[in-house]
Amino acid sequence: MSFSLLRRRKFIASCTHPVGPEMFCTNPTLIPKTQQNSCPQNPLTRNPLGVLQFDALYSTQASKFPEYDMPTVTWGMVQGKKEKLVNRVIVGDYLKSLGIIPDELESFELPSTVEVMKERVEFLQRLGLTIDDINGYPMMLGCSVRKNIIPVLGYLEKIGISRSKLGELVKNYPQVLSASVAVEFQPVIKFLRGLDVEKPDIGYVLQKYPELLGFKLEGTMSTSVAYLVSIGVSPRDIGPMVTQYPYFLGMRVGTVIKPFVDYLVSLGLPKMIVARMLEKRTYILGYDLEEIVKPNVDCLISFGIRREALVFIVAQYPQILGLPLKAKLSSQQYFFNLKMKIDPEGFARVIEKMPQIVSLDQSVIMKPVQFLLERKIPYEDVAKMVVKCPQLLALKVPLMKSSYYFFKSEMGRLVKELVEFPEYFTYCLESRIKPRYQMLKNKGIRSSLDWFLNCSDKRFEERLEGDCIEPESPAPSFCMGGKLELPGCKILSDKADDSDDEDEVLFRRTVAL
């Protein structure tokens, strides 16, 4: 038999009884190593469509996220160059039919079939995203549902962001879908925990400021924290500050935080006081220095506030730096003049003593004023009382009634004394006024309201044991520049304003924030 005939018979036999590569690879241990490599285990080699095999290949990964609807296909089939171009046009037309503009996706590898892209779009819509949201960041369509989106969402839900809020987070920071959990997310979470942010608060922080997930640890976050600690912020308070206002972690020290702190110091506030302010009200760092803070300080001065009083105003009510101040001051000044006959100068003294007045509702202000007027106190005397003690305007009328009844019925004093010492209404009737008055009565002592109320318990006992009633001495006061001056004494320290010892002295003697 000729050699060519023999080859022909072998070819016919092989076509009649084909042998697949899997028959040669059923037991790899029995095959030499060189032959094992000739049987690749690529699913696409066995099944050109690659659909069922890919689903089985990622079945274990899918089981990690059973709560999400997994796509039935993940990418599509293997194509040649021409088929890719044709299918890309088809996918692009499909996106346009939905109202999605695919122009920014030219450099992205997209699914090869409309079915895969449709499932991807529907998955995003189930999260709560709209077509406008997708158009805002169309690159999210280049993220695989199985490989990118589901692992990211699963991790975010694990650290405390509820599923109902995931869509909102993705809307605010869509770049999160293309990020790496291990490389980007986990180091940031570890950094936040290192700042003493409580574990239950992590989700809340990221929900407020999801851009944190894209920050570099050695960048803005670390320098912001280091600077705040350097000016006196307690390290243990950084965590609560992050929970309250995480945006400061993204602020640059040189252009935002330091200029803000330096400006407050220039007003006369010691750095230690600024540090305490930032611990309690971190959000004031968000006030724009040039557009809001400086104009508001100038506005206060234009309304008659003394420059040396600015330190008290900012320390008591830091929020005043971020208010629409000109409108509020104008409205309140007109109201005080109309209803209480308080002139602009008297209004300025009121703001210096109680800056919260700028935000107090006018209907609330009028209730204690009306109460005083009903007690037959003349308008001019009510005005004097308000200027001397603006805290009257924030008191509850029922408490004022009780104190006034005790003043008239038990103490039997003249209303003139209330005009001279309106602070009487600010003291608690049961815990301060009644017991002290009873002790005075038992001793047979008659004194002014100021003498027996405006002092500590220890000082009051010393006064009762004394042989005479001494006049009340003036209270401590600030000098411009932040130094503390006591009556009859020199300024406590002649050191530089930035001295740590001086700041400590100042902090102990300033009003509580």
Side-chain angles (χ1 to χ4, degrees), residues 263-304:
Y263 181 72
L264 294 183
V265 172
S266 73
L267 297 178
L269 284 162
K271 281 188 177 180
M272 180 170 286
I273 302 300
V274 175
R276 299 292 86 79
M277 288 168 54
L278 295 179
E279 288 173 0
K280 302 299 181 183
R281 299 176 180 87
T282 315
Y283 54 83
I284 67 175
L285 286 172
Y287 299 156
D288 188 275
L289 180 60
E290 299 297 331
E291 298 293 330
I292 298 177
V293 176
K294 289 183 178 180
N296 275 351
V297 171
D298 294 338
C299 180
L300 287 169
I301 294 173
S302 70
F303 273 81

Side-chain angles (χ1 to χ4, degrees), residues 152-169:
V152 165
L153 297 180
Y155 182 76
L156 293 176
E157 194 170 355
K158 179 182 176 182
I159 62 176
I161 300 175
S162 64
R163 188 174 304 180
S164 62
K165 300 293 185 181
L166 287 175
E168 184 180 349
L169 185 145

Side-chain angles (χ1 to χ4, degrees), residues 88-341:
R88 190 176 185 90
V89 172
I90 295 173
V91 170
D93 291 340
Y94 165 72
L95 294 176
K96 290 177 182 177
S97 69
L98 297 177
I100 299 172
I101 304 172
D103 297 347
E104 297 183 40
L105 299 173
E106 292 296 329
S107 59
F108 282 79
E109 186 177 358
L110 298 178
S112 57
T113 66
V114 171
E115 288 77 11
V116 179
M117 180 57 77
K118 181 180 179 182
E119 288 191 334
R120 190 170 294 184
V121 172
E122 290 176 350
F123 188 93
L124 293 173
Q125 288 178 325
R126 285 197 298 273
L127 281 178
L129 274 66
T130 63
I131 297 299
D132 290 338
D133 296 327
I134 296 175
N135 276 327
Y137 188 75
M139 282 75 79
M140 68 176 70
L141 294 175
C143 299
S144 168
V145 172
R146 190 184 297 272
K147 295 180 180 179
N148 298 102
I149 300 178
I150 287 179
V152 165
L153 297 180
Y155 182 76
L156 293 176
E157 194 170 355
K158 179 182 176 182
I159 62 176
I161 300 175
S162 64
R163 188 174 304 180
S164 62
K165 300 293 185 181
L166 287 175
E168 184 180 349
L169 185 145
V170 174
K171 285 182 183 181
N172 295 331
Y173 186 60
Q175 295 89 335
V176 73
L177 295 178
S178 56
S180 167
V181 170
V183 176
E184 296 175 73
F185 292 177
Q186 290 179 350
V188 171
I189 301 304
K190 187 179 293 186
F191 178 82
L192 294 176
R193 292 288 292 126
L195 295 179
D196 285 339
V197 178
E198 298 293 335
K199 196 172 183 179
D201 294 332
I202 293 290
Y204 173 76
V205 168
L206 295 178
Q207 194 174 315
K208 287 178 67 174
Y209 193 36
E211 289 84 353
L212 284 177
L213 292 169
F215 284 0
K216 302 291 185 183
L217 301 186
E218 65 278 4
T220 308
M221 290 197 294
S222 297
T223 54
S224 299
V225 172
Y227 176 77
L228 291 174
V229 172
S230 73
I231 66 170
V233 173
S234 173
R236 65 184 179 185
D237 286 319
I238 293 292
M241 289 172 66
V242 172
T243 304
Q244 177 192 156
Y245 190 76
Y247 306 100
F248 81 87
L249 292 177
M251 295 177 178
R252 293 186 178 277
V253 170
T255 58
V256 180
I257 302 179
K258 187 176 185 298
F260 185 86
V261 171
D262 290 345
Y263 181 72
L264 294 183
V265 172
S266 73
L267 297 178
L269 284 162
K271 281 188 177 180
M272 180 170 286
I273 302 300
V274 175
R276 299 292 86 79
M277 288 168 54
L278 295 179
E279 288 173 0
K280 302 299 181 183
R281 299 176 180 87
T282 315
Y283 54 83
I284 67 175
L285 286 172
Y287 299 156
D288 188 275
L289 180 60
E290 299 297 331
E291 298 293 330
I292 298 177
V293 176
K294 289 183 178 180
N296 275 351
V297 171
D298 294 338
C299 180
L300 287 169
I301 294 173
S302 70
F303 273 81
I305 306 300
R306 294 170 294 184
R307 184 171 289 275
E308 58 269 22
L310 290 173
V311 63
F312 292 104
I313 292 175
V314 176
Q316 287 185 66
Y317 192 49
Q319 300 94 309
I320 201 171
L321 297 175
L323 295 174
L325 199 54
K326 187 174 182 180
K328 285 183 173 292
L329 285 173
S330 299
S331 174
Q332 295 292 57
Q333 187 187 69
Y334 175 78
F335 176 78
F336 271 61
N337 185 259
L338 179 66
K339 297 294 184 180
M340 289 173 273
K341 312 303 180 187

